[in-house]
Amino acid sequence: MDKKSGYKNLAEKFNIDLRECKFLGEGHNGIVYLLPDGKIIKIFKKIKNCESEYSILEAVRGSKYFPKVYGSMGNYIIRDYVGGECLKDYIKRNGLDKKVAKNLINLIEEFKKLNFKKLDIRCKDIYVQKDKSLMVIDPKYSFTREKSFPKHLSKGLSKLGVLGDFLEVVRIEKPQVYEEWTGKLIESGIL
Ligand SMILES: Nc1ncnc2c1ncn2[C@@H]1O[C@H](COP(=O)(O)OP(=O)(O)O)[C@@H](O)[C@H]1O
Ligand SMILES: [Mg+2]
């Protein structure tokens, strides 16, 4: 029983009937359904993962890059649906244009502002909106894993053949950051 609200579970609190929900996707940690009102429910295998993801989404509340959360109980989180297209699929169709590249730099800048320890994100967890702004769907280890540059993001962009395009935009927009990142990318064998 949730002491604060008096509800036994989220299904009761949010009036959720899974028969009315649409399956959206499944990952390592959980399964995600679209609710009739446009929000989503993510059901986790482990309560621990649910709690850590919820605490990240709580900490970034108000950031335009993350879905708003409405509540969590046990192994569920209710949050906003994120539309748009996964960055991976977007790049496969369009390549990496300057605007999206700039928004990727801004996303990492936002991570710094939010005091993330992990300045990194995978392409599959970024969704490109119609106006080319970006949203993150699945934040993990943001405050716990030390990563001073976008290693996995760069690896992903490299696989898609657009790491050079991305770094060229970084070089023009943020020369100091370019020096730092390229140094670390060479060190880790990605460049
Ligand atoms: N906020 C969201 N909006 C739209 N689709 C989502 C959202 N969150 C997750 N999904 C879909 O559900 C899948 C699994 O969710 P994800 O959060 O990545 O789970 P896991 O932590 O298990 O990796 C995603 O790959 C995506 O297709
Ligand atoms: Mg995932």
Side-chain angles (χ1 to χ4, degrees):
M1 170 87 73
D2 178 12
K3 287 201 188 85
K4 267 185 259 163
S5 65
Y7 289 106
K8 275 202 287 299
N9 53 50
L10 271 195
E12 189 182 318
K13 183 173 174 182
F14 291 92
N15 203 11
I16 294 165
D17 180 348
L18 278 182
R19 289 167 300 188
E20 288 172 18
C21 300
K22 183 180 163 251
F23 171 74
L24 279 181
E26 190 174 6
H28 234 62
N29 295 316
I31 187 160
V32 177
Y33 293 94
L34 180 66
L35 302 174
D37 70 352
K39 298 185 185 77
I40 65 145
I41 181 168
K42 179 168 176 180
I43 307 164
F44 291 75
K45 290 177 197 148
K46 293 183 185 156
I47 289 179
K48 218 177 92 190
N49 291 335
C50 180
E51 287 172 350
S52 50
E53 192 163 318
Y54 189 70
S55 71
I56 295 171
L57 289 169
E58 269 286 358
V60 303
R61 190 182 281 285
S63 169
K64 64 179 180 187
Y65 294 96
F66 294 86
K68 183 178 171 189
V69 281
Y70 296 94
S72 177
M73 212 182 266
N75 66 335
Y76 307 89
I77 299 177
I78 308 281
R79 65 177 87 162
D80 270 337
Y81 172 72
V82 174
E85 187 179 19
C86 172
L87 180 63
K88 224 169 139 178
D89 300 331
Y90 177 90
I91 290 173
K92 279 184 192 163
R93 284 198 312 114
N94 311 284
L96 182 68
D97 47 276
K98 258 191 200 143
K99 188 155 185 201
V100 171
K102 280 185 191 175
N103 286 339
L104 280 173
I105 300 168
N106 293 338
L107 178 65
I108 303 297
E109 289 294 316
E110 176 80 354
F111 289 173
K112 286 183 196 166
K113 277 189 208 136
L114 293 165
N115 289 320
F116 279 15
K117 275 195 183 164
K118 189 181 119 188
L119 304 180
D120 198 8
I121 174 98
R122 289 177 194 265
C123 290
K124 68 172 169 30
D125 292 329
I126 300 172
Y127 276 59
V128 184
Q129 310 299 295
K130 276 213 180 80
D131 64 358
K132 301 196 182 186
S133 62
L134 306 177
M135 297 270 309
V136 172
I137 59 155
D138 184 18
K140 281 187 178 81
Y141 312 118
S142 310
F143 296 104
T144 46
R145 195 162 284 177
E146 194 81 46
K147 179 71 69 216
S148 62
F149 74 107
K151 184 176 175 177
H152 283 111
L153 176 66
S154 302
K155 264 193 187 171
L157 295 177
S158 175
K159 264 193 189 166
L160 293 161
V162 297
L163 180 58
D165 298 333
F166 176 60
L167 290 176
E168 186 51 20
V169 179
V170 179
R171 191 181 65 80
I172 291 161
E173 297 293 318
K174 304 248 169 204
Q176 266 183 315
V177 172
Y178 174 81
E179 291 302 322
E180 188 195 331
W181 286 359
T182 48
K184 288 175 176 171
L185 286 168
I186 291 167
E187 245 173 55
S188 46
I190 296 165
L191 263 187

